[in-house]
Amino acid sequence: MLEVQNLSMRFGGLLAVDQVSLDVREHEIVAIIGPNGAGKTTVFNCMSGFYKPTGGKILFKGGEIQGKPDYKISRLGLVRTFQHVRLFSRMTVVENLLVAQHRHLNTNLLSGILNTPNYREKEQKSLDRAAYWLDRVGLTDMANREAGNLAYGQQRRLEIARCMVTEPKLLMLDEPAAGLNPAETKDLNQLIISLKEDYNVSVVLIEHDMSLVMDISDRINVINQGRPLASGTPDEIRRNDDVIKAYLGEA
Amino acid sequence: MAAHNLKHALFCAIVTLIISYPILGFNLASEGTTVTLEGAKTSTIVGVLLAAVVVFLFQLFRDNLMGSLRQLPAVNPLANRKPMEQSKRLKLESTLLTLMIIGALVWPFIASRGAVDLSTLVLIYIMLALGLNVVVGLAGLLDLGYVAFYAVGAYTFALLSQYYGVSFWFALPIGALLAALFGLVLGFPVLRLRGDYLAIVTLGFGEIIRILLNNMTNLTGGPNGIGGIPDPTLFGMEFGRRVKEEGNTSFHETFGIAYSGEHKVIFLYLIALVLAVITAIAIRRLMRMPVGRAWEALREDEIAAKSLGLNRTAVKLSAFTIGAFFAGFAGTVFASKQGFISPESFVFLESAIILAIVVLGGMGSQMGVILAAIAVTILPELAREFSEYRMLIFGAAMVLMMVWRPQGLLPMRRIHIELKKQE
Ligand SMILES: Nc1ncnc2c1ncn2[C@@H]1O[C@H](COP(=O)(O)OP(=O)(O)O)[C@@H](O)[C@H]1O
Ligand SMILES: [Mg+2]
């Protein structure tokens, strides 16, 4: 469903991403791994429309999306999280989930000001959806707290829930396990699998936690210094000599 | 450190002297056709020297002074109080608002004509400040040319009545919508700019509108303005002594009471009151609507908001347009109240005053904005003797405010939507 072809991104003299290709099929978890500074986040930034790639193509369901504005890409169903959590920290947890649905909402100002039944029904629907996802990630008790006051692990889960209320087709997670303890990582592991199994989203995942990656990924792409190094199933990657030398060997 | 301070203080004192002595220290005296320069009175010169000494001393001890100023917030006994619970605060706020509205309804029947007239002006400023609050406080866009939309509203009514005899009630929505349209058209290219750039461009826009009004003499009358703007009517009843328009009746004759100029003033006041209440309620609702949350989300974290599919330009444009709409509202009322408008009424100072009300009131808080509007409009009237120093006092008040209570009189505490526990 998503195909990245020979993607390049140059910052001045620095070629941060060089001819990277990857593809994601329906119902699949694909991981991108590589050392720090390899260009993984930059690939995400290009895919989500934050950067306009200097070369290559990104196809989503057959249509080219490279260079499209970020909010339009998000509305197509490609939604991402960030390496450093970005919540609306002074809004409450449930409000974070409401904001994410505002493109589904009737934007008619007048019906809102007059509080018409139609408007109220839609508000209720998005509240219900928010409540559902809060329950799903175990944050129901925190619903009315300010998002900035949550513990780090909770913030991570809220960020994923916030993506999910937009009903995405493809979820891009940038180091979702960073800073989590082993128990939290295990929960996350299950959550991501369930997103794929129960909600039919494909997932692209940047992650350093090898056990997590090897566990849940259907396929893995390795990037090193902006260039693709290898790609394949977890087993193939584990056995790949280049990868062992460049990346796994170090760890 | 001390040596540096001393040097700096000396420098400042000398600059003060260089600037103020030539301006204040000499007088131009005209004798017949020639103009001669003569020294000012000794008292003025002593004053200038004293000022230099004050600047010197202030700069010398600035660090200590500012240090003690910083203690000020702690002196405020309410500073460290815990915020009230939301449900309690809402109750208190709605009680207060109800009381205020009741008071405002009774007010014109007990106050003098002049006081009621002034109160109408306060209400106009409340409308303006509530509208600008949407732009600055809620959407976080610094608009320094807000008065332009106010002018659009006022001139729409003035021109429509002059050329087409349109009445107040027709002009009211037209003026507001036209102002909103201006907001939309201007906002589209401008809102791509950020922060300071936006402020400068809106400032320029405000001036352009005023200069246009000044120079399109054959349409707007230029600096002479437009007069004879009609008063609002009540179901076709006029408030003048004699009926001006065919088909209308007059208020005092219909009700069989003696004519009084006060009726008109009170009627205008009540109209302004109703419109101000409508403005407040509408904006209150907007804050709790998706669009209100989108404004806040975009202010909190633009990147996250965009990653969720929020269109930055559309969201910011909505705030800009809605703000302009209420300015147009206020402008129409203003034109009707004055009966005469000219570009003089829409100078940059007006934008600054409205912005000051928003900042003083506490960005985003309606109650605070209302209180600040009352204070900023009424205080200068009470202290007319000091009117020359009005701007000076204003500036000093702003500086003190920033030190003492940077969040404004009553900082915004937004009403959060609560998720009810489900069984
Ligand atoms: N906006 C930018 N401007 C300039 N250089 C950038 C920018 N974004 C990323 N880079 C550079 O691109 C390289 C790859 O960064 P990044 O994609 O964040 O790596 P990773 O996520 O794999 O750790 C780094 O050398 C980084 O300094
Ligand atoms: Mg990264």
Side-chain angles (χ1 to χ4, degrees):
Chain A
M1 88 204 270
L2 181 87
E3 221 174 311
V4 176
Q5 300 170 348
N6 303 325
L7 184 78
S8 300
M9 182 75 212
R10 177 183 287 282
F11 298 108
L14 174 80
L15 196 54
V17 175
D18 186 9
Q19 304 279 323
V20 170
S21 300
L22 81 151
D23 73 305
V24 185
R25 291 175 222 137
E26 305 250 353
H27 216 66
E28 199 177 40
I29 297 177
V30 174
I32 303 177
I33 61 172
N36 273 326
K40 305 178 297 291
T41 300
T42 307
V43 171
F44 262 29
N45 282 337
C46 291
M47 280 160 58
S48 57
F50 281 79
Y51 294 157
K52 199 174 151 72
T54 42
K57 274 188 190 165
I58 304 170
L59 301 169
F60 181 64
K61 299 203 157 165
E64 289 189 19
I65 59 165
Q66 74 273 11
K68 272 200 184 193
D70 36 26
Y71 69 92
K72 280 196 181 148
I73 290 183
S74 163
R75 287 178 190 192
L76 287 176
L78 275 89
V79 183
R80 68 175 292 186
T81 65
F82 296 87
Q83 187 168 345
H84 306 285
V85 185
R86 299 200 102 135
L87 292 172
F88 307 118
S89 46
R90 284 174 51 199
M91 301 175 84
T92 63
V93 168
V94 65
E95 281 169 337
N96 266 271
L97 298 187
L98 290 179
V99 168
Q101 299 177 57
H102 286 345
R103 60 179 193 224
H104 291 313
L105 280 175
N106 182 359
T107 43
N108 190 336
L109 287 175
L110 213 59
S111 71
I113 289 181
L114 300 178
N115 205 4
T116 62
N118 181 20
Y119 165 81
R120 258 178 303 180
E121 190 187 317
K122 285 193 165 140
E123 272 286 271
Q124 192 54 46
K125 255 195 198 144
S126 41
L127 262 174
D128 291 345
R129 193 179 290 131
Y132 174 82
W133 275 101
L134 282 180
D135 184 44
R136 192 66 195 69
V137 298
L139 288 175
T140 306
D141 291 338
M142 305 288 159
N144 301 323
R145 301 258 184 97
E146 272 189 16
N149 293 341
L150 296 186
Y152 186 74
Q154 297 173 326
Q155 295 198 2
R156 282 267 173 211
R157 272 180 284 154
L158 177 58
E159 209 184 12
I160 293 177
R162 195 176 62 176
C163 289
M164 288 310 296
V165 293
T166 70
E167 303 182 327
K169 303 195 175 66
L170 180 88
L171 189 61
M172 302 184 263
L173 303 174
D174 196 343
E175 303 199 15
L180 299 189
N181 63 35
E184 287 172 326
T185 307
K186 219 172 128 234
D187 285 348
L188 180 74
N189 191 331
Q190 259 149 31
L191 177 63
I192 295 176
I193 290 178
S194 137
L195 296 184
K196 177 181 96 164
E197 298 294 333
D198 306 334
Y199 303 96
N200 205 18
V201 291
S202 305
V203 179
V204 187
L205 177 75
I206 296 178
E207 191 44 71
H208 284 300
D209 186 321
M210 274 309 136
S211 63
L212 179 77
V213 170
M214 293 294 172
D215 234 21
I216 65 174
S217 309
D218 297 307
R219 281 179 307 125
I220 298 177
N221 290 273
V222 189
I223 305 182
N224 192 22
Q225 297 183 346
R227 273 185 299 276
L229 189 68
S231 65
T233 62
D235 277 337
E236 287 167 359
I237 295 298
R238 233 190 299 248
R239 286 196 300 266
N240 186 306
D241 289 338
D242 291 339
V243 177
I244 293 169
K245 234 188 295 168
Y247 186 57
L248 293 177
E250 290 171 15
Chain B
M1 189 66 217
H4 172 80
N5 263 356
L6 187 70
K7 232 161 106 188
H8 177 72
L10 254 178
F11 176 75
C12 289
I14 290 170
V15 168
T16 312
L17 270 184
I18 292 176
I19 292 174
S20 51
Y21 196 84
I23 295 174
L24 297 171
F26 299 105
N27 277 339
L28 287 176
S30 55
E31 290 162 19
T33 54
T34 57
V35 178
T36 54
L37 205 59
E38 57 186 32
K41 274 184 276 174
T42 0
S43 60
T44 318
I45 292 172
V46 171
V48 169
L49 291 177
L50 262 179
V53 172
V54 168
V55 167
F56 176 75
L57 287 176
F58 175 75
Q59 290 297 342
L60 197 57
F61 298 109
R62 191 176 56 166
D63 291 344
N64 306 352
L65 279 173
M66 292 318 270
S68 53
L69 264 185
R70 218 156 284 136
Q71 308 295 320
L72 265 180
V75 176
N76 179 0
L78 299 177
N80 295 320
R81 183 190 44 140
K82 263 218 184 104
M84 224 182 285
E85 233 174 82
Q86 173 161 302
S87 54
K88 247 187 180 169
R89 187 165 54 88
L90 281 182
K91 232 179 244 155
L92 182 71
E93 227 177 73
S94 45
T95 324
L96 271 179
L97 277 178
T98 319
L99 283 180
M100 269 169 94
I101 292 174
I102 292 173
L105 277 175
V106 178
W107 172 250
F109 302 102
I110 51 174
S112 71
R113 184 183 163 146
V116 176
D117 209 38
L118 181 62
S119 311
T120 311
L121 193 66
V122 172
L123 287 169
I124 291 175
Y125 273 107
I126 288 179
M127 270 186 258
L128 283 169
L130 287 175
L132 183 62
N133 195 14
V134 170
V135 183
V136 180
L138 301 180
L141 302 164
L142 185 49
D143 180 356
L144 291 182
Y146 190 62
V147 78
F149 306 121
Y150 185 38
V152 169
Y155 266 89
T156 302
F157 179 30
L159 291 172
L160 280 179
S161 79
Q162 190 176 35
Y163 290 106
Y164 301 104
V166 172
S167 78
F168 173 80
W169 294 110
F170 268 110
L172 185 66
I174 298 177
L177 287 176
L178 207 64
L181 187 70
F182 262 76
L184 192 72
V185 170
L186 170 82
F188 203 70
V190 155
L191 288 177
R192 290 162 192 280
L193 304 172
R194 268 149 227 272
D196 318 347
Y197 300 103
L198 179 68
I200 298 295
V201 173
T202 50
L203 173 77
F205 175 70
E207 287 300 285
I208 288 172
I209 290 279
R210 187 178 60 82
I211 293 168
L212 265 183
L213 292 174
N214 232 332
N215 288 323
M216 291 178 14
T217 337
N218 38 20
L219 182 69
T220 64
N224 295 332
I226 300 175
I229 302 169
D231 303 318
T233 53
L234 178 65
F235 300 115
M237 290 181 278
E238 287 188 10
F239 285 85
R241 190 180 291 277
R242 269 178 247 311
V243 177
K244 284 188 192 139
E245 202 161 318
E246 203 75 27
N248 281 351
T249 52
S250 81
F251 179 76
H252 62 279
E253 275 168 13
T254 312
F255 285 92
I257 43 177
Y259 168 78
S260 154
E262 250 178 62
H263 293 162
K264 186 190 100 180
V265 177
I266 293 178
F267 182 55
L268 252 169
Y269 169 86
L270 290 177
I271 288 178
L273 180 64
V274 169
L275 290 180
V277 170
I278 290 177
T279 306
I281 291 174
I283 292 176
R284 248 179 128 67
R285 273 219 57 81
L286 281 173
M287 282 163 70
R288 309 173 71 158
M289 276 164 50
V291 68
R293 289 195 287 266
W295 290 335
E296 176 161 19
L298 220 59
R299 219 179 49 211
E300 285 247 324
D301 192 328
E302 201 169 300
I303 290 180
K306 290 199 292 189
S307 82
L308 294 167
L310 263 57
N311 179 349
R312 174 182 185 272
T313 315
V315 172
K316 301 224 153 176
L317 205 54
S318 67
F320 212 65
T321 310
I322 288 169
F325 179 88
F326 288 113
F329 236 50
T332 317
V333 179
F334 176 74
S336 186
K337 168 185 176 295
Q338 299 297 90
F340 164 82
I341 52 167
S342 74
E344 277 294 287
S345 312
F346 308 105
V347 290
F348 168 67
L349 190 62
E350 288 293 316
S351 288
I353 289 177
I354 304 164
L355 186 64
I357 292 174
V358 173
V359 173
L360 285 177
M363 299 246 238
S365 116
Q366 288 202 319
M367 200 64 158
V369 163
I370 292 171
L371 292 182
I374 295 173
V376 167
T377 332
I378 292 194
L379 285 185
E381 296 293 329
L382 294 182
R384 268 188 184 278
E385 313 85 273
F386 301 117
S387 63
E388 278 177 55
Y389 302 106
R390 193 171 145 192
M391 280 343 282
L392 207 63
I393 296 172
F394 218 57
M398 292 293 266
V399 171
L400 271 180
M401 195 70 192
M402 287 301 107
V403 176
W404 175 60
R405 210 173 155 78
Q407 68 275 52
L409 284 176
L410 290 176
M412 165 166 76
R413 268 198 234 99
R414 210 171 36 85
I415 307 148
H416 294 294
I417 282 215
E418 305 226 325
L419 189 68
K420 306 269 177 338
K421 280 264 152 53
Q422 274 140 344
E423 301 307 314

